[in-house]
Amino acid sequence: QTPEATVIGLVGGTGDLARRMVIPGCFHLMVAGLLPEQCRIVGLALDDLDDDGFKEVVRHSLDEHARIAVEDEAWERFAAIISFARAQDASDYKTAFEQAEHALGGAPRRLFHLAVPPSAAASVVRTIQDAGLADKDRTRVILEKPFGTDLESARALNAGLHEVLDEGQIFRIDHFLGKEGLQNILALRFANAFIEPVFNRDHVDSIQIDVPEQLTIVGRAGFYEQTGCLKDMVTTHLLQVLGFVAMEPPVSLAPEPLRDRTGDVFASLQPIDPADVVYGQYDGYRDEPGVAPDSSVETFVAARVEIDSWRWAGVPIFLRTGKGMAVSRETVTVVFKEPPMQLFEHAPEVHDARNALRFELHDPPGIALEFLGKQPGPHLTVEESELDFGVRAADRDKLLAPYERLFHDALVGDQTLFTRADGVERVWEVAAPLLAHPPAPKPYAQGSWGPDEAQQLTGPRGWELSARH
Ligand code: BG6
């Protein structure tokens, strides 16, 4: 699908997120031929810059963050569609868009990306309306997480947005849903016949969504002290991923049927019991510049959640993520039950006879099936074996980074991979007991797997990543 002529408005276009993700994303889309042929990008921010000053910011952002070489010809094409407006109020937005729309001619679409804190989102949307730029048939708005900080604020935010925009104009971005590896989950489950019959409580022992990060919060203290790991990663990315892992087959991949099914997962997700959660804080967090010396913000969360549905009742779902951990990985592991009897002798390193299906979400994505295979040699002994699927090296440059895919989807108006108001609100409802009674974070060493208490959550089998990979 080719996007129609569009003026892209980057609100907060000089900020960190725009420079790290959004601007390089737009550049790659242009190089890949996925930006509209008729396109303008308008940076909107409070900085005292003119067009050339903003172009310098853009060029720096590409030099630092573009994942392909910035050829002169491509840069010139990109620079030619960029402008900047020092945007304080509606009239500044109006003037900037009038100029850009005039340059394109006709009545182009408008796509705003709001790189602003959640508390500012509704007021920016009102400014867009006051500028006369919120037309239902022309304007789309991309919003960044977190969508509120609890149920009440999420409801207020959604209500504020809905005063101006229809739900069909709102694109709540959760970049994990733009990962190729996540779409692999959909493809494996619903393009094949062999997985679905065993993808349920009769055959699945447990599910683990495990996203350890080596990175600390360096340089992001201001954001992190306000947000913490639960809101930064769990109520957003990890639970959204769970929506795809656990969903019923949708009637089609169109936005509403698909979002109805992830919505069912959130609806049957049980409120999180604080007793099933371990919070951690890495040693040295309180010494990071900008962090309060007595901060009780969690940098690690491990949790056990349950989905009370016909398919998943009784299957424990383990979530884990944290900063300053031993490795950086993004995995979903579906652990199957043991076979009813053990016929074979096990090689000494075999832990148990359970199979596991592992999805690697980070690029390049992968899928692995762990099973017991025969050990070569005279005996009928079995050893741990793995079937591995990875993206062929030759196909790697076809991968779109998450922001690129999602930006492109927003340009063509496809909401399939964006979260819907009801889903967002339900997730906050599920997290409410934990927000009301957060456990005190336990200390853990940087470079470790988090506090010891988190090891016990999963029972004797442990966390797949730390135990096996
Ligand atoms: C962001 C979080 O949304 O996702 C970060 O704010 C986190 O704290 C990041 O590091 C992880 O995303 P990715 O795509 O780098 O794995």
Side-chain angles (χ1 to χ4, degrees):
Q1 211 176 338
T2 322
E4 299 164 68
T6 307
V7 177
I8 298 174
L10 302 183
V11 181
T14 53
D16 185 60
L17 180 68
R19 285 184 285 114
R20 272 189 309 116
M21 299 282 200
V22 183
I23 291 170
C26 288
F27 178 73
H28 297 146
L29 285 178
M30 184 201 75
V31 172
L34 294 171
L35 269 196
E37 255 173 53
Q38 295 278 303
C39 187
R40 283 283 180 284
I41 299 176
V42 184
L44 299 150
L46 294 174
D47 309 57
D48 190 7
L49 290 174
D50 58 9
D51 288 354
D52 286 339
F54 184 56
K55 284 179 198 184
E56 260 178 53
V57 172
V58 169
R59 179 67 212 216
H60 267 289
S61 122
L62 296 184
D63 290 341
E64 256 184 84
H65 304 290
R67 60 183 177 85
I68 49 173
V70 183
E71 309 283 352
D72 289 349
E73 179 275 334
W75 165 245
E76 274 159 31
R77 272 198 294 142
F78 197 55
I81 63 171
I82 290 172
S83 59
F84 182 78
R86 189 162 180 224
Q88 320 225 36
D89 55 28
S91 70
D92 300 328
Y93 278 59
K94 190 167 188 282
T95 316
F97 264 69
E98 267 169 9
Q99 280 171 4
E101 291 180 9
H102 182 72
L104 292 185
R109 286 198 172 276
R110 305 177 186 119
L111 178 64
F112 289 93
H113 175 265
L114 271 49
V116 299
S119 53
S123 89
V124 172
V125 165
R126 271 195 301 278
T127 306
I128 292 171
Q129 182 186 39
D130 294 344
L133 298 173
D135 311 39
K136 305 236 176 284
D137 54 342
R138 283 177 62 187
T139 300
R140 298 173 181 140
V141 177
I142 302 179
L143 295 173
E144 287 290 334
K145 55 118 216 185
F147 310 113
T149 48
D150 57 13
L151 179 58
E152 205 183 329
S153 58
R155 280 190 179 143
L157 173 61
N158 284 333
L161 296 173
H162 289 152
E163 278 172 23
V164 178
L165 304 168
D166 288 343
E167 185 62 21
Q169 296 175 274
I170 304 172
F171 291 71
R172 296 178 193 79
I173 211 166
D174 185 301
H175 79 280
F176 268 55
L177 300 191
K179 288 179 187 270
E180 185 84 11
L182 186 99
Q183 283 142 58
N184 258 343
I185 298 179
L186 273 188
L188 190 77
R189 287 194 58 197
F190 302 130
N192 300 289
F194 70 102
I195 290 291
E196 274 310 286
V198 294
F199 222 65
N200 55 49
R201 66 192 304 274
D202 296 332
H203 300 279
V204 172
D205 172 84
S206 56
I207 297 176
Q208 299 191 1
I209 302 181
D210 204 356
V211 185
E213 291 184 280
Q214 280 178 309
L215 217 71
T216 60
I217 58 107
V218 159
R220 295 175 79 210
F223 164 79
Y224 210 82
E225 279 280 277
Q226 296 302 315
T227 313
C229 185
L230 180 82
K231 293 175 189 166
D232 185 36
M233 295 294 288
V234 181
T235 50
T236 51
H237 307 319
L238 271 64
L239 289 179
Q240 290 300 328
V241 169
L242 179 60
F244 279 71
V245 175
M247 73 196 287
E248 295 300 317
V251 293
S252 81
L253 295 180
E256 292 320 311
L258 195 121
R259 298 195 300 176
D260 285 345
R261 297 293 78 83
T262 53
D264 290 345
V265 174
F266 304 139
S268 43
L269 201 55
Q270 294 304 291
I272 303 174
D273 182 346
D276 290 335
V277 179
V278 176
Y279 275 7
Q281 188 186 74
Y282 65 78
D283 294 340
Y285 174 73
R286 293 176 183 185
D287 304 327
E288 304 274 16
V291 170
D294 57 350
S295 172
S296 60
V297 166
E298 78 289 355
T299 62
F300 170 99
V301 177
R304 178 189 201 276
V305 300
E306 272 187 36
I307 298 174
D308 203 8
S309 69
W310 196 269
R311 185 189 283 263
W312 294 119
V315 177
I317 294 161
F318 300 106
L319 313 173
R320 178 172 72 172
T321 182
K323 303 284 185 200
M325 291 182 63
V327 298
S328 291
R329 291 280 291 275
E330 299 178 344
T331 59
V332 176
T333 311
V334 179
V335 181
F336 292 91
K337 292 184 172 167
E338 292 202 6
M341 62 183 292
Q342 309 289 342
L343 289 172
F344 295 85
E345 191 183 325
H346 287 180
E349 76 285 358
V350 170
H351 284 83
D352 54 40
R354 280 181 265 208
N355 305 129
L357 182 62
R358 199 173 70 244
F359 296 91
E360 305 281 350
L361 301 186
H362 207 282
D363 281 345
I367 304 176
L369 181 63
E370 298 169 16
F371 62 100
L372 293 180
K374 186 183 167 310
Q375 195 171 49
H379 306 295
L380 270 177
T381 302
V382 288
E383 62 180 0
E384 288 180 354
S385 313
E386 199 167 285
L387 274 175
D388 240 321
F389 161 80
V391 177
R392 281 182 294 268
D395 284 340
R396 294 225 174 135
D397 38 332
K398 291 190 194 143
L399 294 173
L400 286 182
Y403 258 86
E404 296 161 26
R405 172 189 312 279
L406 294 172
F407 229 84
H408 179 257
D409 286 355
L411 281 164
V412 297
D414 183 347
Q415 288 185 303
T416 309
L417 298 174
F418 293 85
T419 55
R420 211 167 54 184
D422 55 336
V424 166
E425 289 178 17
R426 174 63 191 161
V427 165
W428 285 121
E429 212 164 54
V430 165
L434 195 51
L435 295 175
H437 304 285
K442 313 266 188 233
Y444 63 96
Q446 285 190 41
S448 73
W449 286 97
D452 292 342
E453 289 80 352
Q455 299 301 326
Q456 282 131 39
L457 264 186
T458 48
R461 186 174 163 94
W463 293 89
E464 292 293 310
L465 276 191
S466 18
R468 290 177 179 71
H469 303 283

